[in-house]
Amino acid sequence: SAYTLKGINWVAQNVDTDWGNNDSSIGIDVMSMSFGSVSSGGDDPGDNGSNAEARAVDAAADAGVVPVAAIGNDGYRRVTSVGAADSAITVGAIEDKDTINRDDDSIASYSNSGPREDDGDDNEWEELKPTVVAPGSNIMSSQHAASSSTLPGAPKPLAEDSYTQMSGTSMSCPAVAGFVAVMLQIDDSLNPQEIKDLLQN
């Protein structure tokens, strides 16, 4: 959508902005994108990375921002428009079965899959989506207080900030974005492609 495109372009334009808070508040290093995508059903495999949103994501990566994108929750072979970008670290979801044992993990049934559609440049590495997976089922997270205006019949809004449990690749995506931030804290000379290659390898 136009709002998605404007938001991604704003990130690229502010990659070096000094926000004036402290030494660690200069610029933008990582963007976490959990956007839905309009599709026509299970026969729509999504974009090949040439749409306007994907091109904007690649431009942000060229500017130095590491782009992390949720792959989507249709359960089909489909990659969201931002996740289709060559540069995107596209994140799928796993079920961790509520254990710390990784051997019983499985891909979540709702998590979309790739590969992304071929863009004809003979680089199959870019078409391998998702790049990584992370826990996405029944994730407990913060929930902001809702506004006071609600539709008739809607649930009563929260009176204060609270917590909620949700499932989806939108829950997996920020975990990977946080991991990327830790990688950059360890070595801030890594560029977006190097970060993606480290994770994908």
Side-chain angles (χ1 to χ4, degrees):
S1 78
Y3 291 116
T4 302
L5 199 54
K6 286 180 181 178
I8 296 167
N9 289 335
W10 181 89
V11 170
Q13 291 159 9
N14 285 281
V15 66
D16 294 318
T17 297
D18 184 347
W19 304 106
N21 298 322
N22 53 49
D23 291 342
S24 67
S25 66
I26 296 174
I28 300 171
D29 297 317
V30 186
M31 64 177 169
S32 179
M33 300 172 288
S34 298
F35 307 130
S37 61
V38 177
S39 68
S40 57
D43 59 348
D44 172 17
D47 192 77
N48 67 359
S50 64
N51 68 73
E53 287 92 351
R55 292 196 314 270
V57 168
D58 289 336
D62 288 343
V65 178
V66 181
V68 185
I71 197 170
N73 306 316
D74 303 308
Y76 295 123
R77 180 193 159 211
R78 179 181 303 128
V79 183
T80 53
S81 58
V82 291
D86 288 348
S87 62
I89 296 169
T90 309
V91 183
I94 59 169
E95 305 262 8
D96 64 11
K97 310 293 195 300
D98 293 327
T99 72
I100 59 170
N101 180 4
R102 299 283 69 96
D103 293 340
D104 66 355
D105 293 354
S106 63
I107 301 297
S109 60
Y110 55 79
S111 185
N112 286 8
S113 63
R116 183 198 76 187
E117 288 295 280
D118 188 348
D119 62 0
D121 69 357
D122 293 326
N123 186 343
E124 295 178 359
W125 189 245
E126 296 166 347
E127 272 115 42
L128 295 177
K129 303 282 183 174
T131 311
V132 293
V133 293
S137 296
N138 303 316
I139 303 298
M140 185 65 70
S141 185
S142 55
Q143 178 173 320
H144 66 82
S147 68
S148 58
S149 60
T150 58
L151 297 173
K156 185 178 178 189
L158 295 171
E160 58 187 34
D161 294 346
S162 185
Y163 293 90
T164 188
Q165 195 174 67
M166 297 182 74
S167 296
T169 58
S170 292
M171 304 307 281
S172 309
C173 181
V176 174
F179 187 77
V180 167
V182 172
M183 293 172 73
L184 289 169
Q185 190 170 27
I186 293 167
D187 184 355
D188 64 5
S189 72
L190 293 169
N191 67 43
Q193 186 62 50
E194 289 170 329
I195 292 278
K196 184 182 179 196
D197 287 344
L198 283 166
L199 289 172
Q200 195 160 355
N201 281 319

